[in-house]
Amino acid sequence: MSEKPNNGMLGYTQEEYKKFSKNAWIVLLAFSVLYCFLYCGRLNLQYTMPAMMEEEGWTELDLGILSSVLFWTYGIGHLFNGRLGEIFGVNRFIVAGMFLSAAANLLIGFQSSLIVIAVLWGFNGYFQSMLWSPGIALLSRWWPGEKRGFATGFANAFSGFGQVFAALTVSLAFIIMPNSGWKAGFIVPVVIMVIFAIIYIFLAKDSPKKIGLKEYVDPDAKRHEQDLELQKLIAERGKLFPYIYLFKKWRFDLWLLIIAGSSIARYGLLTWIPTYYVQEFNYDIEKGALGTVLLPLGMAFGTLIIPWISDKFFSNNRLPMVIICAAVSGATVFFFMRVEPGALAGALLFIAGFFIYAINGLVWAYATDVGGRAFAGTAAGILDCFAYLGASVQAIFFGSVLTNSSNWTLVFTAIAGVCVAIIIIAIIAGWGLNQEKKEEKAA
């Protein structure tokens, strides 16, 4: 956070502002790195799927259903955990979720029954949902409105890097424990998760009050007024009021469809591209995982850069950026299915990842816009719930398509079609929004 002149506007003396700014960065970095390594206990399934099919004889549909179990429990968990974290303490939820997810993964590494694994994977989904929405609430307490696109995009970028680390740790697990087969992919990553959870406990404070400071005053008068009004409404109407407030906003409802579509596209690629390389081009399992690293790497940079740009030029209406990202994503996926693995395919994966995941970064910036400090976590939780409903749909649908027909063209065409649907929804959501903003300023 810049140390230029905003300190007075935030309600701090110069010394208080330096202390606040330093801790804002510590919190952002600590949460981002922690969340990065959370993916080692989530996307490890995607990278071990080819080995599971080879060793156990399970089909794409079997593993598509298994993958969807986490998406369902993760999404439903977010519906509640964003609000619960705000009520009972965001850091409590964040730390507990990391340790519980590590435990669930470790138990899976000693199982052979697909049903038992599915139950544990479902619990893992709920445990993983205890981090992101409370984390968005955490960031909103340390980063004012004009910087939240950067802050949420920064944290989301580390989730993209986490997808890279998930691929690398699974590949490393197969090297370290070659005789354990697919189970190694659920054992080795746990060690990293636990180490960073312990470090996080000592670094991150969940509000300025924990370091002896008062809450900041948002420099944007309208945002500050919104914070006060929403806090007042919660006090008057109860702790469940944020759900009523958000679902009654029709544009918020359309943003739910946008992030659901974005997750269908994102996880449609993340889940199935490693298997695509193994089945269509005879890559071995480790090479299939490493050959797709450019996809999540592109995601990391996209969600870091695009939300920051939206802060600069589209902070009052982030939907034009959604339209641009969806258009580029759809076109890139359409071309990707026509090329073989190599430099061009890698470049297309990077570009597709960059723009598809950038949409998610824009969504989290919007969550802090619509919920403010009062209930940004609740808004993020609802949005993430719909994101993973979309992810669960793709897991079952694409798993069924591949089991019954092995039609990869249909998979990629459907992903490109979802990007077109996002464009249409974003156009509808943006209808009249700029005019409304002008009228608000005039008033």
Side-chain angles (χ1 to χ4, degrees):
M1 190 180 298
S2 170
E3 292 196 9
K4 290 175 182 179
N6 278 13
N7 52 306
M9 297 176 69
L10 291 170
Y12 296 128
T13 66
Q14 189 66 27
E15 287 302 312
E16 287 174 334
Y17 180 72
K18 287 180 179 178
K19 185 178 182 181
F20 172 80
S21 180
K22 175 184 175 182
N23 278 274
W25 272 105
I26 289 173
V27 167
L28 177 59
L29 287 167
F31 175 72
S32 299
V33 173
L34 181 77
Y35 202 77
C36 170
F37 289 100
L38 179 71
Y39 275 78
C40 292
R42 186 195 310 176
L43 287 187
N44 51 339
L45 174 63
Q46 272 72 271
Y47 295 112
T48 57
M49 278 169 50
M52 295 171 85
M53 287 186 282
E54 181 180 308
E55 295 171 28
E56 305 291 349
W58 296 328
T59 68
E60 291 93 339
L61 180 57
D62 291 332
L63 295 179
I65 293 172
L66 174 63
S67 178
S68 76
V69 169
L70 179 140
F71 296 143
W72 284 104
T73 56
Y74 184 86
I76 292 170
H78 267 293
L79 191 60
F80 306 107
N81 286 333
R83 189 75 196 120
L84 290 173
E86 289 169 333
I87 295 171
F88 296 109
V90 292
N91 271 350
R92 291 177 184 173
F93 268 66
I94 289 168
V95 172
M98 194 71 166
F99 280 117
L100 290 169
S101 176
N105 271 273
L106 187 61
L107 287 173
I108 289 173
F110 293 93
Q111 306 301 319
S112 297
S113 166
L114 187 59
I115 294 175
V116 173
I117 292 170
V119 171
L120 290 170
W121 197 239
F123 277 108
N124 184 46
Y126 183 83
F127 299 147
Q128 292 242 334
S129 77
M130 296 171 70
L131 276 83
W132 182 250
S133 301
I136 292 295
L138 172 71
L139 297 182
S140 73
R141 296 176 184 180
W142 286 100
W143 291 82
E146 64 179 9
K147 299 286 187 180
R148 286 179 192 154
F150 165 76
T152 57
F154 187 92
N156 213 34
F158 272 75
S159 74
F161 293 130
Q163 295 161 37
V164 176
F165 277 107
L168 295 176
T169 54
V170 169
S171 296
L172 179 64
F174 288 143
I175 294 171
I176 294 175
M177 303 175 64
N179 297 324
S180 297
W182 64 264
K183 296 179 181 180
F186 293 89
I187 297 173
V188 173
V190 165
V191 178
I192 300 172
M193 294 171 65
V194 170
I195 290 171
F196 280 94
I198 293 171
I199 294 172
Y200 178 86
I201 292 171
F202 294 99
L203 290 179
K205 306 299 180 184
D206 60 11
S207 75
K209 291 180 180 179
K210 293 295 178 69
I211 59 168
L213 295 175
K214 62 186 177 182
E215 301 292 344
Y216 69 81
V217 176
D218 201 302
D220 186 300
K222 184 170 178 57
R223 284 194 175 101
H224 178 59
E225 182 181 329
Q226 179 194 34
D227 280 343
L228 295 177
E229 179 64 24
L230 294 179
Q231 289 164 2
K232 179 182 177 182
L233 287 171
I234 292 173
E236 291 175 351
R237 304 190 188 184
K239 296 186 183 299
L240 295 181
F241 169 73
Y243 291 98
I244 300 170
Y245 174 86
L246 291 167
F247 278 117
K248 287 176 74 173
K249 287 182 167 289
W250 67 271
R251 281 198 178 92
F252 180 80
D253 296 334
L254 290 178
W255 275 93
L256 297 178
L257 297 179
I258 288 171
I259 195 169
S262 173
S263 283
I264 290 173
R266 172 194 171 199
Y267 275 100
L269 295 176
L270 280 174
T271 303
W272 300 107
I273 289 288
T275 303
Y276 172 65
Y277 274 19
V278 170
Q279 291 186 352
E280 291 294 296
F281 302 103
N282 296 317
Y283 274 39
D284 59 34
I285 294 166
E286 292 87 348
K287 190 178 179 183
L290 293 175
T292 60
V293 162
L294 283 174
L295 173 65
L297 193 62
M299 291 180 177
F301 284 104
T303 194
L304 175 64
I305 294 170
I306 296 296
W308 173 75
I309 293 174
S310 78
D311 272 349
K312 297 290 184 183
F313 304 105
F314 298 97
S315 62
N316 289 323
N317 179 10
R318 303 183 194 269
L319 289 162
M321 295 297 292
V322 171
I323 294 169
I324 293 169
C325 290
V328 177
S329 301
T332 305
V333 170
F334 183 78
F335 284 111
F336 171 78
M337 66 180 176
R338 299 171 182 273
V339 301
E340 293 189 359
L344 178 57
L348 291 172
L349 282 177
F350 183 90
I351 294 168
F354 185 99
F355 287 99
I356 285 174
Y357 205 36
I359 296 173
N360 281 54
L362 294 166
V363 168
W364 307 130
Y366 170 74
T368 61
D369 292 339
V370 73
R373 274 177 292 180
F375 45 79
T378 306
I382 297 170
L383 286 158
D384 224 5
C385 174
F386 276 75
Y388 282 86
L389 291 178
S392 65
V393 167
Q394 71 76 26
I396 296 174
F397 176 73
F398 293 144
S400 178
V401 167
L402 293 172
T403 297
N404 294 323
S405 67
S406 298
N407 190 337
W408 287 102
T409 299
L410 178 57
V411 170
F412 294 125
T413 301
I415 292 172
V418 167
C419 292
V420 174
I422 292 172
I423 294 171
I424 296 170
I425 295 167
I427 290 172
I428 296 171
W431 194 267
L433 184 58
N434 289 334
Q435 183 60 36
E436 290 178 19
K437 297 292 183 182
K438 289 179 182 178
E439 291 174 358
E440 286 177 2
K441 287 183 179 180

